[in-house]
Structure formats: C-alpha cells, structure tokens
Amino acid sequence: MKVINYISEAFEELKTNVTWPEWEEVQRYTIVVAVFSILFALATWGVDELFAKALAGFFNWMKS
C-alpha cells in the first residue's frame, strides 16, 4: 500500500508543483541538443581517425 501511495503522491506533485516548459521551448532545446550531439560525434570521430592514422604511421615507421 505504501508503494501505491508513494506513486500517487509523486504523480500529484508532478501535476501541481512542477513547472513544465512550453512546447516551442522543448522543440528548440531538442534541436540544440541534436545539433551539439552530432557535432560532438563528428569531433570524436575526427580525433579517433587522427589518432588511428598517427598510430599506424608510428608503427609503420617502427617496422622500417
């Protein structure tokens, strides 16, 4: 019974005490997060490629 009471109180608090953003604001922030996620993924990929090529070059140099 305590779990049901807890869940009921949690939903009531979400309805009455939480300030929810407007739909336009949610859409805007979603776009911002998506753009920065893509940029971060591309930067991570670029650094990974750079290090992979640097290590391959180093090991090829060591074999010579």
Side-chain angles (χ1 to χ4, degrees):
M1 197 63 187
K2 286 183 179 182
V3 173
I4 293 172
N5 190 30
Y6 173 79
I7 292 172
S8 174
E9 288 177 2
F11 275 110
E12 186 62 32
E13 184 162 344
L14 285 172
K15 285 194 285 185
T16 59
N17 295 336
V18 174
T19 304
W20 296 99
E22 296 295 323
W23 180 243
E24 292 79 20
E25 187 177 10
V26 172
Q27 289 175 326
R28 192 169 52 246
Y29 287 150
T30 301
I31 292 170
V32 169
V33 168
V35 167
F36 276 102
S37 296
I38 291 169
L39 290 175
F40 187 75
L42 289 173
T44 302
W45 172 77
V47 170
D48 181 54
E49 286 294 315
L50 178 73
F51 278 115
K53 288 181 181 180
L55 282 173
F58 175 75
F59 285 120
N60 284 334
W61 176 73
M62 293 296 286
K63 280 200 279 189
S64 301

